[in-house]
Amino acid sequence: EAGVAQSPRYKIIEKRQSVAFWCNPISGHATLYWYQQILGQGPKLLIQFQNNGVVDDSQLPKDRFSAERLKGVDSTLKIQPAKLEDSAVYLCASSLRTNGEQFFGPGTRLTVL
Amino acid sequence: AQKVTQAQTEISVVEKEDVTLDCVYETRDTTYYLFWYKQPPSGELVFLIRRNSFDEQNEISGRYSWNFQKSTSSFNFTITASQVVDSAVYFCALSEARNTGGFKTIFGAGTRLFVKA
């Protein structure tokens, strides 16, 4: 069974530029999560999808971050414009149930200069 | 309020020592789920265990064991006879029901474990 795929693995941009991350969850997993992990901290939930609907985006900085999950499968997370404090690893995860174990992708390490 | 505390930021042990990673949680619910994940240097979080709030039976899986105590709101993780490959950051997580349906998961800050040869 293929795991959660993410791309790119690394991205370096300058502040005020835009960036997009892509995630392909495990087949059949209805729930998809985007987390932000700042160095030395635990993952912080940015947005959670159930199929193609948003369940929780309470911690998503909506003035600059957006995410979509078209057709309930792949998802894209965008930052526009990026700030220095957005430097982090962005993790995508998926699960069969919202109270089930989550399967994580390798993450995208973003550096904003 | 939903909260997970991993008070140990870093632990360093010598190979073959036993080590316990602490996790204390807060929740208003009677139904909830607890998890442990491992994040090795490669970066990808790996699921280790899931436990529901009604099952306080301790679990052992090889060199790993978990002690769930509702009376102290703790879900501690012990590695017996640690190995260098156990070096990683370990996260405890709590899933609690949302008012709007489904569950919300929060992670602790993690404990970085160094196992020296």
Side-chain angles (χ1 to χ4, degrees):
Chain A
E1 179 184 84
V4 176
Q6 287 188 249
S7 68
R9 291 295 310 279
Y10 305 92
K11 190 74 177 178
I12 301 174
I13 61 173
E14 298 197 349
K15 60 183 179 183
R16 292 188 288 272
Q17 286 188 326
S18 302
V19 65
F21 313 127
W22 172 82
C23 173
N24 186 20
I26 291 174
S27 178
H29 282 193
T31 310
L32 185 147
Y33 315 78
W34 282 102
Y35 290 93
Q36 180 191 60
Q37 187 177 22
I38 292 172
L39 188 64
Q41 299 181 18
K44 174 184 132 182
L45 180 69
L46 292 175
I47 188 166
Q48 179 178 337
F49 292 94
Q50 185 70 16
N51 297 307
N52 59 348
V54 175
V55 173
D56 185 347
D57 62 357
S58 58
Q59 298 191 94
L60 187 74
K62 298 180 187 61
D63 58 332
R64 298 184 300 106
F65 286 63
S66 64
E68 60 182 9
R69 189 183 185 195
L70 299 177
K71 300 180 182 177
V73 182
D74 292 9
S75 178
T76 303
L77 176 69
K78 296 180 181 177
I79 308 175
Q80 179 180 16
K83 292 185 175 181
L84 296 177
E85 59 261 36
D86 298 332
S87 294
V89 176
Y90 290 85
L91 299 167
C92 179
S94 68
S95 66
L96 274 174
R97 304 175 302 273
T98 59
N99 62 354
E101 60 267 34
Q102 296 180 26
F103 295 84
F104 285 80
T108 297
R109 183 176 298 277
L110 173 67
T111 302
V112 182
L113 303 175
Chain B
Q2 191 182 19
K3 187 177 180 182
V4 176
T5 301
Q6 294 181 257
Q8 304 150 309
T9 306
E10 290 187 359
I11 301 176
S12 183
V13 299
V14 177
E15 211 171 17
K16 297 182 184 177
E17 284 186 5
D18 298 347
V19 58
T20 296
L21 310 182
D22 297 333
C23 173
V24 174
Y25 62 92
E26 292 179 29
T27 177
R28 66 180 188 277
D29 285 355
T30 55
T31 301
Y32 53 89
Y33 298 83
L34 295 163
F35 303 81
W36 276 94
Y37 289 85
K38 175 182 180 179
Q39 188 173 40
S42 61
E44 193 163 327
L45 274 90
V46 176
F47 164 78
L48 295 178
I49 190 171
R50 172 180 182 263
R51 173 70 67 206
N52 75 59
S53 55
F54 299 106
D55 183 2
E56 286 194 72
Q57 191 171 12
N58 292 331
E59 181 155 339
I60 298 175
S61 176
R63 296 184 297 107
Y64 294 173
S65 61
W66 291 270
N67 184 325
F68 177 27
Q69 291 196 341
K70 290 179 74 171
S71 60
T72 56
S73 297
S74 65
F75 186 43
N76 296 337
F77 173 30
T78 297
I79 302 175
T80 303
S82 60
Q83 299 177 0
V84 173
V85 293
D86 295 328
S87 296
V89 181
Y90 292 87
F91 293 97
C92 181
L94 165 68
S95 285
E96 183 182 76
R98 298 175 189 279
N99 294 333
T100 53
F103 283 77
K104 177 172 184 173
T105 301
I106 65 164
F107 285 78
T111 297
R112 183 176 295 276
L113 175 64
F114 294 97
V115 181
K116 297 178 285 188

